[in-house]
Amino acid sequence: MDLATILQILDSTIRLATPLLLACLAGLYSERAGVVDIGLEGKMLAAAFVSAAVAALTGSVWIGLVAGIAGAVALALIHGLASITFRGNQLISGVAINFLAGGLTVLIAQNLFQQGGRTPSLTGGARFTPITLPFADALRDVPVIGQLYSVLLSGHSVLVYVALLSVPLTWWVLYRTRFGLRLRAVGENPAAVDTAGVPVTGLRYAAVIIAGVLTGLAGAYLATGLAAGFVKDMTAGRGFIALAALIFAKWRPVQALWATLLFGLLEAIANRYQSVELGGIVIPVQLMQALPYILTVIILAGFVGKAIPPRAGGEAYVKER
Amino acid sequence: MVIDTQTGRQAAAAPAPAIELRGISKSFGPVQANKDISIRVEKGSIHGIIGENGAGKSTLMSILYGFYRADAGEILINGAPVDIPDSQAAIRAGIGMVFQHFKLVENFSVLENIILGAEDGALLRPSLSKARRALMDLAREYELNVDPEALIENLSVGHQQRVEILKALYRQADILILDEPTGVLTPAEADHLFRILRNLKREGKTIILITHKLREIMEITDAVSVMRRGEMISTVRTAETTPEQLAELMVGRKVLLRVQKTPAKPGATVLEVENLRVVDDKGVERLRGIDLTLRAGEILGIAGVAGNGQSELLEVLAGITTGTGSAWLNGTPLDLTGRTSDGQTRRESGVAHVPEDRHRRGLILDFAAWENVAFGYHHRPDYQKNAIFMDNAALLQDTAAKMARFDVRPPNPRLAARNFSGGNQQKIVLAREIERNPDLLLIGQPTRGVDIGAIEFIHQRIVELRDAGKAILLVSVELDEILSLSDRIAVMFDGRIMGERLPGDADERELGLLMAGMKGGPA
């Protein structure tokens, strides 16, 4: 394997890890605040569709992005209403959102565009285009470091950089701000927050809305950055892989970056080597494509170690003495 | 302003009371938890509030802390009427609350817990350093030393409680409400807490102490209010009352505070335990070599602060968990490894178990009383109609009889266990375990969360069982209970028995030292 191939795989790792990372951070905010979010998948899917549809109709990817985020936030608010205000079961609410998004996107897409549940292919200003970082072209010929910079870091769409910057930002918010302290506290012991005179509901809604924004970014990136339009079920379980990565990362932002990069790498490898020959046996393409999912199971089953979730996760807060 | 801190008495030029409640009423559905409650708490005094479970103490304090809104009535702080719709408003009004179950974030540091909700800005660093300085001052002033950087989960219960007090003081609380603060403390820790409270009082803070321990009321309060069934029965100056009088006011009838019993007449050895060890699922050794003997017709009381292995001792003997070492019941070895034994076989061999946590282990709260009475004995022949069906009619009848004998109220076998009060739930468990006539009764925290009236009854039953020649292993964190019931006392600390005493010889200070892990005096 030469350097160019490795760079190519790593380059595609970053692109494939981006939606996972955004969704994983979305889950991190939500679950750190004590709201289990199994609806990452549905929110991403809804955002993917809305952003692609609006971008196709308006010709502007930016309007599409805003619409996609709004779509995901709307679903997030439904989740919030069900699980925070009405104290419903958070898993059921999340599953419902996944079903809702899965069905509605295709239905509306078919109604709007009559293309079998797809949006039209996006071109030009309706898609995110790669950004060339400063000096990337000049450094292209510098061995290794220059190549890493110009090939690996440069040349992604703006959402990739947003995702990468979200990691330190999330860390800072969680551990250095008042909001972060309260957010973490409300996921561990909402009674402590409540008796300290801070409303639990407001914090949890804030977390859920942030999760909506981040899944909105993730979905928009899928449909308008990674691909050129929406297709049915295009999230393909990424919301669940993001959840797995979240557990793998033990609900910490920097570890979330590494975890999602790992899953991105697996996906990149599976895409690059459609069929591999090992000692005369050809590994079928299906197995290669299933690899990220298989590894998800293996990692979750055995390699995570003791992952302690936020202690109040999944429970609606009821005032008690 | 003149503040008569010495007595808390209303002097001629008396300032307005720190707290005055006027006609507070609160109902939950058909249940009236507080009926027209009026009370005055003088500035700079320690005011006790006592009452049985369900008397409405906690509801009243929750209204004061903004958890509930009163249906009617008025709250005055320092003479001015205030509205307390939420905890935020309570904190603003200068009220701090130390709950019985601490409201701390376990994996946060002390500092983080203290600033939570009282941060000075959007960023944490300035708040943290300010709190660090404030904490040092408070520690010096009130003997409230805690390591500010320690994680809550690594602190002892006593220290966690100090964090709660510090939290309130950091929020400039002038009025501190403590709900059953000593339930989880060693005697030494409780003494320290009382010292802190006296320091706070000296600085002019007002303290409300909710407790059911009459001894504490007598020791530290200036005035005491008694509640019964949602009503404020009376407020008296502590110096002018007696524990007996208070108990009578609480229950509404004369109560025996002392258990009446004759000296034990120990018979043959029922239980013998040698080098018993238990390792929990985290790999921590919770019992580190326990030796004990227990004879027929005696009560062996195990004293100690919660979490020093008493629970594990009960559970391994009851066959719920496994351990190593040896134990004999009436001379027959018990299988501690769990390979050929479990709770069921242990019960067959004559061991009854009244678990410490009756909600988790003793009852299924959503099941009816008669179903709960059957548990563990449901396969016994007298409950079977034939090979397939249980004889529910017989069971109901049996339960009704047991409920009558144990004075369970309401005497309705079909009522879900959840709907009985703590004392009546405990009586259901006791009826189930005692009436099977066990050779050995393992009983943990027999009167936790139980009203004084029921305590008296339960204690009598335990003594009666002893007098019937049964062996009783009693675990309790209430030292008073251990002292009044036991024929012998063993003190546990950190998985070991620190020493054995006879209740007549034991003084509380010495037992307290043993409970804290210090060998006091000759063993």
Side-chain angles (χ1 to χ4, degrees), chain A residues 191-211:
Chain A
V193 177
D194 192 23
T195 52
V198 184
V200 170
T201 312
L203 277 171
R204 287 198 163 165
Y205 265 106
V208 164
I209 289 169
I210 293 172

Short mmCIF file of all heavy atoms in Angstrom, two decimals, chain A residues 191-211:
data_model
loop_
_atom_site.label_atom_id
_atom_site.label_comp_id
_atom_site.label_asym_id
_atom_site.label_seq_id
_atom_site.Cartn_x
_atom_site.Cartn_y
_atom_site.Cartn_z
N ALA A 191 -32.18 16.11 40.90
CA ALA A 191 -32.67 16.64 42.17
C ALA A 191 -31.69 17.66 42.75
O ALA A 191 -32.09 18.65 43.34
CB ALA A 191 -32.89 15.50 43.16
N ALA A 192 -30.40 17.41 42.55
CA ALA A 192 -29.39 18.34 43.04
C ALA A 192 -29.53 19.68 42.33
O ALA A 192 -29.39 20.74 42.94
CB ALA A 192 -27.99 17.77 42.85
N VAL A 193 -29.79 19.63 41.03
CA VAL A 193 -29.93 20.85 40.26
C VAL A 193 -31.19 21.59 40.68
O VAL A 193 -31.20 22.80 40.87
CB VAL A 193 -29.97 20.50 38.75
CG1 VAL A 193 -30.19 21.76 37.93
CG2 VAL A 193 -28.69 19.80 38.35
N ASP A 194 -32.24 20.84 40.85
CA ASP A 194 -33.53 21.42 41.20
C ASP A 194 -33.45 22.10 42.57
O ASP A 194 -33.87 23.25 42.73
CB ASP A 194 -34.60 20.32 41.21
CG ASP A 194 -36.00 20.90 41.29
OD1 ASP A 194 -36.18 22.06 40.91
OD2 ASP A 194 -36.90 20.18 41.74
N THR A 195 -32.89 21.41 43.55
CA THR A 195 -32.82 21.99 44.88
C THR A 195 -31.83 23.15 44.93
O THR A 195 -31.90 23.98 45.83
CB THR A 195 -32.41 20.96 45.95
OG1 THR A 195 -31.22 20.33 45.50
CG2 THR A 195 -33.50 19.95 46.15
N ALA A 196 -30.92 23.20 43.95
CA ALA A 196 -30.02 24.35 43.89
C ALA A 196 -30.71 25.53 43.23
O ALA A 196 -30.10 26.57 43.03
CB ALA A 196 -28.75 23.98 43.14
N GLY A 197 -31.96 25.36 42.86
CA GLY A 197 -32.73 26.47 42.34
C GLY A 197 -32.63 26.66 40.84
O GLY A 197 -32.94 27.71 40.33
N VAL A 198 -32.16 25.63 40.12
CA VAL A 198 -32.07 25.73 38.67
C VAL A 198 -33.13 24.80 38.06
O VAL A 198 -33.17 23.63 38.41
CB VAL A 198 -30.67 25.30 38.17
CG1 VAL A 198 -30.56 25.49 36.68
CG2 VAL A 198 -29.59 26.09 38.89
N PRO A 199 -33.96 25.31 37.16
CA PRO A 199 -35.00 24.45 36.60
C PRO A 199 -34.43 23.33 35.73
O PRO A 199 -33.62 23.58 34.84
CB PRO A 199 -35.85 25.41 35.75
CG PRO A 199 -35.42 26.78 36.12
CD PRO A 199 -34.05 26.68 36.68
N VAL A 200 -34.84 22.13 36.03
CA VAL A 200 -34.35 20.96 35.31
C VAL A 200 -34.85 20.96 33.87
O VAL A 200 -34.11 20.68 32.92
CB VAL A 200 -34.83 19.67 36.04
CG1 VAL A 200 -34.55 18.44 35.20
CG2 VAL A 200 -34.14 19.56 37.38
N THR A 201 -36.11 21.33 33.71
CA THR A 201 -36.74 21.26 32.39
C THR A 201 -36.01 22.13 31.37
O THR A 201 -35.72 21.68 30.26
CB THR A 201 -38.20 21.72 32.51
OG1 THR A 201 -38.78 21.04 33.61
CG2 THR A 201 -38.97 21.42 31.27
N GLY A 202 -35.69 23.33 31.76
CA GLY A 202 -35.03 24.25 30.84
C GLY A 202 -33.71 23.70 30.36
O GLY A 202 -33.40 23.73 29.16
N LEU A 203 -32.93 23.14 31.28
CA LEU A 203 -31.62 22.59 30.92
C LEU A 203 -31.77 21.44 29.95
O LEU A 203 -31.03 21.31 28.98
CB LEU A 203 -30.91 22.10 32.18
CG LEU A 203 -30.15 23.13 33.00
CD1 LEU A 203 -29.72 22.53 34.30
CD2 LEU A 203 -28.94 23.61 32.21
N ARG A 204 -32.74 20.58 30.24
CA ARG A 204 -32.89 19.40 29.40
C ARG A 204 -33.37 19.79 28.01
O ARG A 204 -32.92 19.23 27.00
CB ARG A 204 -33.84 18.41 30.07
CG ARG A 204 -33.17 17.75 31.26
CD ARG A 204 -33.87 16.48 31.68
NE ARG A 204 -32.96 15.70 32.53
CZ ARG A 204 -33.34 14.69 33.28
NH1 ARG A 204 -34.60 14.32 33.30
NH2 ARG A 204 -32.46 14.03 34.00
N TYR A 205 -34.26 20.78 27.95
CA TYR A 205 -34.69 21.25 26.64
C TYR A 205 -33.52 21.84 25.86
O TYR A 205 -33.35 21.61 24.67
CB TYR A 205 -35.82 22.27 26.76
CG TYR A 205 -37.19 21.64 26.62
CD1 TYR A 205 -38.01 21.46 27.72
CD2 TYR A 205 -37.63 21.19 25.38
CE1 TYR A 205 -39.25 20.86 27.60
CE2 TYR A 205 -38.88 20.59 25.25
CZ TYR A 205 -39.68 20.43 26.36
OH TYR A 205 -40.90 19.82 26.23
N ALA A 206 -32.69 22.62 26.57
CA ALA A 206 -31.52 23.20 25.90
C ALA A 206 -30.66 22.10 25.29
O ALA A 206 -30.23 22.19 24.13
CB ALA A 206 -30.72 24.03 26.89
N ALA A 207 -30.43 21.04 26.07
CA ALA A 207 -29.59 19.95 25.59
C ALA A 207 -30.23 19.27 24.38
O ALA A 207 -29.55 18.94 23.40
CB ALA A 207 -29.38 18.93 26.71
N VAL A 208 -31.51 19.07 24.45
CA VAL A 208 -32.21 18.38 23.37
C VAL A 208 -32.17 19.23 22.10
O VAL A 208 -32.00 18.72 20.99
CB VAL A 208 -33.66 18.07 23.82
CG1 VAL A 208 -34.52 17.70 22.64
CG2 VAL A 208 -33.65 16.93 24.82
N ILE A 209 -32.29 20.54 22.25
CA ILE A 209 -32.25 21.42 21.09
C ILE A 209 -30.85 21.43 20.47
O ILE A 209 -30.69 21.37 19.25
CB ILE A 209 -32.71 22.85 21.47
CG1 ILE A 209 -34.22 22.83 21.76
CG2 ILE A 209 -32.40 23.84 20.37
CD1 ILE A 209 -34.74 24.08 22.40
N ILE A 210 -29.83 21.46 21.32
CA ILE A 210 -28.46 21.38 20.79
C ILE A 210 -28.29 20.09 20.01
O ILE A 210 -27.71 20.07 18.93
CB ILE A 210 -27.43 21.46 21.94
CG1 ILE A 210 -27.46 22.86 22.57
CG2 ILE A 210 -26.03 21.16 21.41
CD1 ILE A 210 -26.62 22.98 23.82
N ALA A 211 -28.84 19.01 20.56
CA ALA A 211 -28.76 17.73 19.85
C ALA A 211 -29.47 17.84 18.50
O ALA A 211 -28.99 17.29 17.49
CB ALA A 211 -29.39 16.62 20.70
#
